[in-house]
Amino acid sequence: MAERKLLVLFGSQTGTAQDTAERIGREAKRRHFQCRVEALDSYDVANLISELLVVFVCATTGQGDPPDNMKMFWRFLFRKNLPPSSLCQLDYAVLGLGDSSYPKFNFVAKKLHKRVLQLGGNPLLPVALGDDQHDLGPDAVVDPWLLALWDKILALYPLPPGLEIIGPDTRLPPKYTLHYLAEDSLHPDGGLLQPTASRAIPSELHPFAARMVSNQRVTAECHFQDVRLIEFDVTGSGMTFSAGDVVMIQPQNCPDDVQQFCQLLRLDPDRRFLLKPTEPSTSLPALLPQPCTIRHLVTHYLDISCVPRRSFFELLSYFSTNELEREKLQEFSSAQGQEELYSYCNRPRRTTLEALWDFPHTTCAIPPEYLLDLIPRIRPRAFSIASSMLAHPDRIQILMAVVRYKTRLSKPRRGLCSTWLASLNPEQGDVRVPLWVKKGGMKFPADPDTPVIMIGPGTGVAPFRAAIQERVAQGHGGNCLFFGCRQKSKDFYCQAEWEELVTKGFLTLFTAFSRDQEEKVYVQHRIRENQRLVWELLSSRNAHIYLAG
């Protein structure tokens, strides 16, 4: 009998594709498959020629781009020298997650499906095109597609004699088991932020613990929005970047939330534990020190402030000892309950921690080893770098709006990363932030004679501040900036800097202060007023136009 092995490979940017891939992994275990779930770039693509059964789950980002964690795989798969029969023994299926309001809807999934077919793969089903715009989200497509997929797979690999599908009433084992250590063993806490001694260029797995140098509010105190210009010292990191690049920052949960979470689940934050994978093929979470304290796990790893997904409620329902709570949790995890779940969770942006408060009987019954199955890890946040190495060597600056808004819930919603960064005060001691640099999507012209028209309202001006600093340092003229904000006196970021560059002849500046007069004026009005200049730069001087929001 053929070996019943399934490989699920995902390319995920925000975590949805990973969540779906893990769901397929759970469904495979219920059907007694040996199943591995891996990010495409963690998988050794050379092994693909010997795989027999693979499900690909991939998101599409930006303008039809593959997610970061499948870029290397993507480059390999499209190499011209791969023989057309490379994957002739492979049965496969592709599930795409996209958003039909973008022109390149599910582009990556469609292209992947076609390429594997070209290389000789045998598709079990047409590609699934999950759509965020659907009333019920991508699940409207994913649910029926998965039912059809399991029919196909079980026809090829029937259940072994005497085995039944493990029903939905049975809880699957956790990904890891948690072994508490004796109280008296030593406990240094803080494995994450030890400045790295390794010479490796900083990356997601090895962030650089940068010292925060300054954290300055650049909007008037009376302005409704708090915007910060934050500077980090990256001396000795080996990082280099140019205008248009991005800094990735790994945030953490605030101490109050961590304390609440530990109280709700009756966990001792200072307990130390070791993680052991339940199955030998599962690797340990890369960013967790071993041994680790509960406090470190909850502060640096578990995303307790994210809006929980359907899979969270499904797993939670297994721990419920209270009938009312269990019924509600089962409703939220059913296909029929998705509208209800949307108005409970997504519309008001309810956090995981708040959802746990609403199910107190269930929450205090959660076994700690299931925490890593239940709650995703905290994802890094991307910020446009707002400074140039030529103007500020060994420094990275960002221009960051502190995210805070109201929904129907009484407590204002707060952005995890921006709230944390805004709360740090470098004047009160050594403040370290884990970060690394990533190539951005904007490239500025190398030719000093090519003019650049930049349209950057609000914090969208950040990458253009880096570009202008860089171009001025290189002696490039032809810098034209359209900047817009509400009021000249309240949120005109970097005003003195721009005005000095205008005086020195390095910058042409057009401003639109939307609320400083009766009728609202935006950057597009200023562009129209200056259409002659814009057209002249484009038509006879080959100007490049850049837009950031």
Side-chain angles (χ1 to χ4, degrees):
M1 177 159 170
E3 206 181 2
R4 302 177 79 252
K5 275 170 80 170
L6 168 66
L7 175 65
V8 183
L9 294 173
F10 65 86
S12 185
Q13 196 71 19
T14 60
T16 311
Q18 180 174 351
D19 185 66
T20 305
E22 283 168 354
R23 170 185 172 184
I24 298 171
R26 289 192 297 275
E27 293 186 5
K29 288 201 176 82
R30 291 189 179 279
R31 289 159 179 82
H32 303 281
F33 279 88
Q34 264 184 288
C35 181
R36 272 171 43 230
V37 179
E38 275 192 64
L40 278 153
D41 276 356
S42 313
Y43 173 73
D44 183 354
V45 67
N47 295 336
L48 200 59
I49 57 167
S50 53
E51 300 289 352
L52 300 178
L53 182 59
V54 177
V55 178
F56 298 95
V57 184
C58 46
T60 295
T61 66
Q63 305 300 312
D65 304 313
D68 291 333
N69 66 0
M70 67 177 280
K71 287 205 156 107
M72 290 168 348
F73 171 86
W74 197 244
R75 277 199 293 275
F76 180 89
L77 199 67
F78 285 92
R79 285 188 1 195
K80 297 273 188 287
N81 59 356
L82 296 180
S85 60
S86 318
L87 302 178
C88 60
Q89 78 314 329
L90 176 68
D91 288 318
Y92 76 98
V94 177
L95 194 171
L97 295 168
D99 183 322
S100 58
S101 65
Y102 284 81
K104 295 206 167 173
F105 173 55
N106 264 317
F107 182 73
V108 171
K110 292 172 187 167
K111 203 168 164 182
L112 175 63
H113 187 271
K114 203 167 147 188
R115 180 59 175 157
V116 178
L117 188 60
Q118 274 176 356
L119 295 172
N122 168 48
L124 295 172
L125 286 176
V127 57
L129 305 175
D131 184 7
D132 249 355
Q133 291 297 317
H134 192 285
D135 288 347
L136 299 177
D139 285 347
V141 167
V142 174
D143 289 359
W145 186 85
L146 280 179
L147 288 174
L149 179 71
W150 289 120
D151 285 347
K152 294 272 188 193
I153 291 178
L154 286 174
L156 291 172
Y157 298 90
L159 282 166
L163 284 181
E164 301 278 315
I165 293 177
I166 301 170
D169 311 334
T170 309
R171 175 167 100 196
L172 291 171
K175 215 185 285 183
Y176 306 101
T177 50
L178 209 114
H179 300 270
Y180 282 121
L181 300 178
E183 295 295 320
D184 50 8
S185 49
L186 299 164
H187 58 270
D189 186 25
L192 187 71
L193 279 186
Q194 302 314 318
T196 43
S198 76
R199 303 292 339 115
I201 293 292
S203 64
E204 181 158 8
L205 293 180
H206 304 282
F208 179 73
R211 185 173 64 85
M212 185 186 276
V213 179
S214 62
N215 182 351
Q216 175 200 351
R217 179 171 173 143
V218 289
T219 43
E221 285 299 333
C222 59
H223 189 56
F224 76 100
Q225 187 156 44
D226 181 355
V227 176
R228 303 297 177 96
L229 182 65
I230 300 178
E231 181 170 71
F232 302 102
D233 182 350
V234 294
T235 307
S237 66
M239 291 189 290
T240 57
F241 56 89
S242 39
D245 287 347
V246 166
V247 61
M248 305 298 293
I249 293 181
Q250 184 65 47
Q252 60 185 58
N253 291 309
C254 74
D256 285 357
D257 285 357
V258 173
Q259 189 187 344
Q260 267 189 37
F261 180 86
C262 290
Q263 282 171 350
L264 267 176
L265 276 84
R266 303 180 183 172
L267 295 168
D268 171 2
D270 297 316
R271 280 302 291 276
R272 295 167 69 246
F273 63 87
L274 283 169
L275 283 182
K276 300 264 166 67
T278 312
E279 291 180 6
S281 62
T282 308
S283 50
L284 287 168
L287 292 163
L288 274 185
Q290 286 267 61
C292 182
T293 61
I294 294 286
R295 187 191 312 280
H296 186 98
L297 172 73
V298 183
T299 304
H300 297 287
Y301 195 84
L302 299 179
D303 196 353
I304 58 177
S305 75
C306 71
V307 176
R309 302 175 190 271
R310 174 178 168 180
S311 57
F312 168 85
F313 295 97
E314 187 185 331
L315 183 51
L316 207 52
S317 68
Y318 287 104
F319 312 130
S320 197
T321 48
N322 174 289
E323 202 172 333
L324 268 176
E325 289 187 11
R326 187 168 56 245
E327 278 174 12
K328 195 69 191 166
L329 291 165
Q330 285 168 342
E331 182 192 347
F332 282 161
S333 51
S334 70
Q336 304 75 29
Q338 289 316 288
E339 216 145 330
E340 184 81 12
L341 177 60
Y342 190 85
S343 36
Y344 170 71
C345 256
N346 304 64
R347 198 166 288 125
R349 310 301 297 163
R350 195 183 301 272
T351 69
T352 295
L353 182 58
E354 288 167 330
L356 290 171
W357 273 107
D358 287 345
F359 296 92
H361 299 90
T362 308
T363 296
C364 64
I366 298 171
E369 51 263 30
Y370 276 95
L371 285 176
L372 286 104
D373 295 80
L374 191 63
I375 301 171
R377 71 177 177 88
I378 299 174
R379 299 204 161 251
R381 304 320 201 238
F383 294 91
S384 293
I385 296 175
S387 59
S388 163
M389 291 182 87
L390 300 179
H392 302 277
D394 292 324
R395 294 284 195 266
I396 285 180
Q397 297 180 356
I398 61 171
L399 187 64
M400 175 194 81
V402 182
V403 177
R404 185 176 188 273
Y405 57 95
K406 284 289 293 174
T407 65
R408 64 180 170 77
L409 301 178
S410 59
K411 225 172 129 190
R413 308 291 89 194
R414 294 175 183 276
L416 173 66
C417 189
S418 60
T419 305
W420 172 60
L421 286 175
S423 74
L424 301 174
N425 183 354
E427 288 164 21
Q428 287 179 355
D430 190 35
V431 173
R432 300 275 168 171
V433 171
L435 52 77
W436 63 97
V437 165
K438 220 177 76 176
K439 274 275 152 261
M442 279 187 187
K443 300 274 178 290
F444 292 88
D447 179 357
D449 296 328
T450 305
V452 173
I453 300 169
M454 295 162 279
I455 305 156
T459 53
V461 80
F464 303 138
R465 183 172 180 259
I468 291 166
Q469 285 181 1
E470 194 162 286
R471 288 171 61 81
V472 167
Q474 292 164 335
H476 294 193
N479 304 308
C480 175
L481 174 66
F482 287 88
F483 174 76
C485 65
R486 290 199 169 199
Q487 287 157 308
K488 184 176 181 174
S489 62
K490 290 185 178 169
D491 55 341
F492 185 4
Y493 314 134
C494 314
Q495 176 180 359
E497 192 174 330
W498 304 138
E499 288 171 350
E500 185 185 344
L501 290 171
V502 170
T503 310
K504 289 181 172 170
F506 280 115
L507 179 68
T508 307
L509 175 69
F510 300 101
T511 51
F513 305 113
S514 62
R515 306 292 199 279
D516 275 350
Q517 59 287 307
E518 262 311 281
E519 71 297 340
K520 295 194 175 112
V521 176
Y522 297 111
V523 285
Q524 58 267 37
H525 298 116
R526 296 291 183 237
I527 293 168
R528 185 171 289 145
E529 286 164 19
N530 295 281
Q531 54 188 331
R532 275 205 146 111
L533 168 73
V534 172
W535 176 242
E536 150 73 15
L537 290 172
L538 283 174
S539 60
S540 57
R541 296 192 50 204
N542 241 344
H544 292 198
I545 290 197
Y546 299 84
L547 175 65

